[in-house]
């Protein structure tokens, strides 16, 4: 704390994301998991997760996401859900739908789960199953029907990129047919595997403009039956997103091995040692750890953020994006036009759609081992290439 | 969506959950991957939308809670206005 600055009040972590596992039967090339997921240590056991749920609730967390990987691969999921319900969380299951059947959907309901989000890769089986790296589409349809039959609110999530962005209208039709309450049309956020595949996945500016117009039309058409949320592609913007509403502000992520993170990409940042729930209480981690205080508040900022009138709105943007493009997470998010390195983002966005075709690198253990070695050599050579 | 009347019986829509949160010292409305922190009066109103009591009964109950607002028609107008907003947001549904 610098002399003269007002004391910064640490707010409670309202949102707990429990990444139960990195195991997943799908291989989506835009996965937000770390490239190095295959090297991760053993998953937390049931008792440790129960302690995490209790400690986070005591700190004030009330929204809880069970995520992964595929959280359904954990056979103790129903036990964790039941405890979450008892503690008063609103619990969300974020799933591919693979790993459950009609009986398990009913069991999740009985355990006290509040909501299920199912992801789709495309609006039809050929592209969906190609992107997922496995046959999944027909089962997803059946599980969506079961989710509604069991009385859950249902969100269908479509992650958008160059190869499916022209299906937005079809996504909304599919969601409407399945009785979705919410639709997320989420442009890919380029971290983890999506960063590795950025030149293959990033849509062109004209594709994006059409997609936004289509999404707006669909929002009006379906206004009485479902809410459609459109998550923008920030590489094409002039101001950064308020990533996780500010570092260590409301969002707490626990990785499968117990590492506590202020966002699910933060593990890739250099120079930070993230605490683990095996060695410390969540109260110590959230309030006192160096990692959670590193980018909290405004004192860490450099120019152009430090004197920016908009810093209370966007908190300097995304630390991971600052690192990926500039090599230093303390810099302004270069999505911001005020950043001296904005050109790096703009160049990537402007080249989208004009770069030669590259193979898609699917998210699987084999590629995890190959590309963590490659990305390490990238780093040794300096900044990642963005052109 | 039909307009609310004094006789309408309303309740929280099934995709929402209302609960008191000690850490925020407020009622919150929870829904898939989202949360609205309510101010005191909004929380007191929604907490009474139980699928049993009519709009008129809820207003009468709130008048007992806030007797200083009792003298005017203001409280009735404020409650109705908030209920309309909540109804249009999809938080409340008539039964």
């Amino acid at each position: 704390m610098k002399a003269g600055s007002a004391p910064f009040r640490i707010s409670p972590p309202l949102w707990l994301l429990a990444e139960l596992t990195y195991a997943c039967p799908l291989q989506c090339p835009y996965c937000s998991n770390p490239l190095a997921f295959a090297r991760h240590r053993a998953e937390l056991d049931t008792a440790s997760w129960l302690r995490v749920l209790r400690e986070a609730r005591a700190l004030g967390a009330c929204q809880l996401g069970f995520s992964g990987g595929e959280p359904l691969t954990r056979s103790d999921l129903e036990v964790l859900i039941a405890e979450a319900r008892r503690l008063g969380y609103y619990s969300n299951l974020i799933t591919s739908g693979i790993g459950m059947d009609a009986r398990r959907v009913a069991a999740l309901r009985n355990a006290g789960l509040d909501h299920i989000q199912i992801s789709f890769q495309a609006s039809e089986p050929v592209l969906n199953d190609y992107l997922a790296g496995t046959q999944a589409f027909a089962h997803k349809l059946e599980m969506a029907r079961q989710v509604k039959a069991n009385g859950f609110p249902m969100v269908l999530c479509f992650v958008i990129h160059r190869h499916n962005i022209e299906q937005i209208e079809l996504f909304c039709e599919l969601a409407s047919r399945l009785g979705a309450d919410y639709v997320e049309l989420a442009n890919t956020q380029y971290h983890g595997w999506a960063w590795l595949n950025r030149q293959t996945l990033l849509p062109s500016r004209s594709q994006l403009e059409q997609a936004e117009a289509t999404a707006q039309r669909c929002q009006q058409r379906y206004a009485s039956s479902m809410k459609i949320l459109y998550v923008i592609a920030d590489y094409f913007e002039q101001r950064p997103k308020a990533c996780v509403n500010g570092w260590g502000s409301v969002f707490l992520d626990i990785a499968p091995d117990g590492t506590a993170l202020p966002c699910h990409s933060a593990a890739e940042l250099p120079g930070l040692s993230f605490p683990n729930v095996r060695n410390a209480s969540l109260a110590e981690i959230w309030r006192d750890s160096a990692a959670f205080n590193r980018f909290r508040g405004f004192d860490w900022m450099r120019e152009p953020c430090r004197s920016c009138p908009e810093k209370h709105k966007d908190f300097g943007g995304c630390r991971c994006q600052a690192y990926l493009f500039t090599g230093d997470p303390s810099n302004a998010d270069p999505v911001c036009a005020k950043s001296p390195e904005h050109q790096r983002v703009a160049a990537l966005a402007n080249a989208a759609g004009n770069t030669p075709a590259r193979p898609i690198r699917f998210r699987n253990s084999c590629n995890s081992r190959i590309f963590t070695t490659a990305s390490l050599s990238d780093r040794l050579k300096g900044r990642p290439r963005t052109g | 969506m039909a307009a609310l009347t004094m006789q309408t019986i309303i309740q929280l829509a099934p995709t929402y959950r209302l609960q008191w949160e000690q850490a925020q010292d407020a009622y919150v409305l929870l829904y898939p991957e989202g949360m609205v922190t309510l101010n005191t009066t909004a929380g007191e109103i929604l907490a009474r939308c139980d699928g049993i009591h009519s709009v008129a009964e809820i207003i009468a109950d709130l008048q007992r809670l806030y007797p200083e607002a009792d003298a005017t028609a203001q409280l009735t107008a404020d409650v109705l206005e908030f209920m309309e907003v909540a109804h249009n947001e999809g938080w409340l549904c008539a039964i």
Side-chain angles (χ1 to χ4, degrees):
Chain A
M1 187 68 57
K2 289 198 169 58
S5 61
F8 185 78
R9 197 181 67 84
I10 296 177
S11 50
L14 300 179
W15 235 113
L16 175 66
L17 185 66
E19 293 189 295
L20 298 180
T21 179
Y22 284 140
C24 185
L26 274 64
Q27 305 181 32
C28 308
Y30 49 75
C31 183
S32 63
N33 285 168
L35 280 184
F37 76 85
R39 293 163 198 266
H40 271 251
R41 285 194 295 153
E43 293 174 5
L44 289 182
D45 61 15
T46 309
S48 303
W49 276 117
L50 291 173
R51 180 169 62 79
V52 165
L53 297 184
R54 284 193 292 271
E55 290 184 2
R57 183 75 185 121
L59 288 174
C62 53
Q63 276 284 352
L64 168 63
F66 289 111
S67 172
E70 175 49 71
L72 291 169
T73 63
R74 291 278 304 214
S75 60
D76 57 357
L77 182 60
E78 286 83 344
V79 175
L80 302 180
I81 288 170
E83 179 69 357
R85 186 71 195 87
R86 195 187 66 76
L87 291 166
Y89 282 105
Y90 188 95
S91 55
N92 306 270
L93 177 64
I94 299 157
T95 178
S96 68
I98 310 303
M100 62 188 184
D101 54 14
R103 216 170 58 181
R104 195 165 192 200
V105 178
L108 295 169
R109 190 65 174 161
N110 290 336
L113 184 66
D114 289 292
H115 146 245
I116 297 183
Q117 181 201 104
I118 298 182
S119 62
F120 278 83
Q121 284 65 41
S123 63
E124 38 72 33
V126 176
L127 183 60
N128 188 93
D129 294 353
Y130 171 69
L131 291 167
T134 184
Q135 284 200 333
F137 188 75
H139 189 69
K140 284 168 183 280
L141 290 183
E142 179 52 25
M143 288 306 101
R145 293 188 192 105
Q146 290 299 329
V147 166
K148 287 312 293 178
N150 278 275
F152 281 110
M154 181 169 75
V155 176
L156 296 186
C157 177
F158 300 88
V159 175
I160 293 168
H161 45 76
R162 186 189 304 171
H163 306 285
N164 66 4
I165 193 165
E166 277 140 24
Q167 298 192 347
I168 283 189
E169 197 151 3
L170 297 169
F171 292 156
C172 295
E173 283 171 18
L174 175 66
S176 174
R177 264 203 318 281
L178 292 170
D181 299 285
Y182 299 82
V183 182
E184 277 182 25
L185 303 170
N187 273 288
T188 301
Q189 306 294 305
Y190 292 90
H191 303 284
W193 291 81
W195 173 258
L196 180 71
N197 285 303
R198 61 196 179 280
Q199 280 142 334
T200 318
L201 296 178
L202 198 63
S204 68
R205 193 177 293 272
S206 70
Q207 276 185 315
L208 266 178
E209 283 166 0
Q210 273 193 13
E212 288 190 26
T214 308
Q216 279 176 16
R217 250 196 342 270
C218 290
Q219 282 167 336
Q220 289 165 6
R221 188 186 312 157
Y222 296 104
S224 65
S225 60
M226 58 188 193
K227 281 195 177 147
I228 300 175
L229 312 167
Y230 182 82
V231 180
I232 62 162
D234 69 348
Y235 284 8
F236 293 84
E237 299 292 314
Q238 301 296 307
R239 286 288 180 272
K241 61 191 172 215
C243 192
V244 291
N245 205 41
W247 182 275
S249 155
V250 293
F251 189 75
L252 171 61
D253 176 23
I254 307 298
D257 68 354
T259 305
L261 299 165
C263 89
H264 49 270
S265 302
E268 70 192 9
L269 297 177
L272 286 170
S273 169
F274 289 102
N276 193 297
V277 300
R278 296 177 205 261
N279 314 316
S281 74
L282 278 187
E284 294 168 306
I285 288 170
W286 181 256
R287 292 178 187 143
D288 306 330
S289 71
F292 276 79
N293 283 296
R294 177 67 185 84
F295 300 111
R296 212 171 227 157
F298 304 97
D299 283 352
W300 60 273
M301 287 179 172
R302 300 174 179 160
E303 293 299 347
C305 297
R306 178 170 280 273
S307 62
C308 180
E310 294 172 60
K311 67 181 175 185
H312 298 274
K313 198 168 81 182
D314 60 37
F315 312 103
C318 169
R319 298 303 87 230
C320 302
Q321 216 145 265
Y323 166 64
L324 286 171
F325 280 97
T326 77
D328 186 339
S330 302
N331 286 331
D333 182 339
V335 160
C336 186
K338 293 182 179 181
S339 157
E341 317 236 29
H342 177 66
Q343 193 44 40
R344 290 174 181 275
V345 180
L348 181 57
N350 290 332
N354 299 322
T355 47
R358 288 165 193 257
I360 291 180
R361 276 82 68 103
F362 287 93
R363 176 225 188 263
N364 55 45
S365 306
C366 176
N367 278 342
S368 173
R369 294 203 168 80
I370 293 171
F371 289 109
T372 45
T373 317
S375 96
L376 184 65
S377 67
D378 252 7
R379 251 174 242 175
L380 293 174
K381 275 185 270 169
R383 289 164 181 164
R385 291 182 303 272
T386 57
Chain B
M1 205 175 287
L4 298 175
T5 72
M6 293 300 267
Q7 282 71 48
T8 311
I9 294 174
I10 48 175
Q11 66 181 9
L12 214 56
T15 47
Y16 291 89
R17 194 161 97 208
L18 179 76
Q19 72 185 30
W20 176 259
E21 278 300 301
Q22 201 62 50
Q24 299 178 65
D25 194 25
Y27 276 107
V28 298
L29 199 55
L30 296 160
Y31 54 94
E33 296 166 61
M35 174 170 63
V36 178
T37 302
L38 299 162
N39 66 27
T40 311
T41 43
E44 293 294 349
I45 295 168
L46 287 186
R48 285 167 172 74
C49 298
D50 54 6
I52 297 168
H53 294 94
S54 68
V55 171
E57 288 167 334
I58 291 169
I59 290 172
D61 193 31
L62 287 164
Q63 281 173 339
R64 282 190 287 277
L65 188 67
Y66 300 107
E68 66 280 14
D70 196 7
T72 67
Q74 195 57 44
L75 184 135
T76 304
D78 288 350
V79 173
L80 279 175
E81 189 191 340
F82 173 75
M83 283 182 174
E84 288 290 350
V85 170
H87 194 219
N88 290 333
E89 286 284 336
W91 302 346
L92 291 175
C93 57
I95 59 169

